[in-house]
Amino acid sequence: MSRPSPRELSDFLSDLAAFRTDSNGDYAELMARKADLLERIAADMPDDADAAEVAALARTRANDLNATG
């Protein structure tokens, strides 16, 4: 798993801002992208328990959203 690039983070933040202003998009997909980015950040920082916890919470939320459709 590779660390997210600045471009990936920037693209995600842009898409998140766009969603917040017009809500035309797939929130579940956006949260899955967030979870992926956070998991990759946590994997790059294996000794950071907080990063791992935040990533796990984000993944749980993304999975919940995808389960409810």
Side-chain angles (χ1 to χ4, degrees):
M1 209 178 281
S2 65
R3 175 189 326 188
S5 70
R7 181 66 182 183
E8 288 175 293
L9 296 171
S10 178
D11 288 347
F12 171 75
L13 292 173
S14 292
D15 291 347
L16 180 60
F19 181 84
R20 287 183 174 167
T21 59
D22 98 24
S23 298
N24 284 334
D26 184 349
Y27 184 69
E29 187 274 330
L30 193 59
M31 292 301 99
R33 282 177 54 202
K34 175 183 174 182
D36 177 64
L37 292 169
L38 290 171
E39 287 170 340
R40 290 167 56 198
I41 291 167
D44 194 54
M45 302 168 29
D47 296 328
D48 190 331
D50 290 336
E53 182 179 358
V54 169
L57 290 170
R59 177 56 60 200
T60 297
R61 176 68 174 139
N63 289 345
D64 289 348
L65 288 168
N66 283 318
T68 60

